Amino acid sequence: MPEAPRTTTVRTRKLAEATAHTTTLVGAAYRLYTTLGLQRARVRVFTLKADGIRPAEHVTQQLTFDPATSASA
């Protein structure tokens, strides 16, 4: 992540399991940003990169009774 004085910070995270839910991905991005502990830094760019993407038919899917995640599937 490039910061105001032209420095760059890089952090990586891997989700515990595959997901097709936007809320899961957004939550991971917010947690990653929060762990940087920036208070008054001027962030110019925040970039997310997805690796290891596979076709949905090749991914196992955990069944859930949560209506919020089931509705978006």
Side-chain angles (χ1 to χ4, degrees):
M1 175 173 65
E3 298 167 11
R6 305 283 184 211
T7 61
T8 301
T9 302
V10 177
R11 298 287 187 268
T12 59
R13 295 292 183 274
K14 183 175 181 179
L15 297 178
E17 60 187 28
T19 184
H21 301 293
T22 303
T23 54
T24 303
L25 299 173
V26 169
Y30 276 119
R31 285 189 302 279
L32 184 62
Y33 181 79
T34 302
T35 61
L36 293 173
L38 303 175
Q39 294 179 356
R40 295 184 64 184
R42 291 179 44 209
V43 177
R44 297 183 305 125
V45 177
F46 186 83
T47 304
L48 300 175
K49 178 181 175 185
D51 290 330
I53 297 175
R54 303 184 295 244
E57 58 269 8
H58 294 115
V59 177
T60 57
Q61 193 170 31
Q62 177 67 40
L63 298 177
T64 178
F65 293 108
D66 183 6
T69 57
S70 297
S72 63

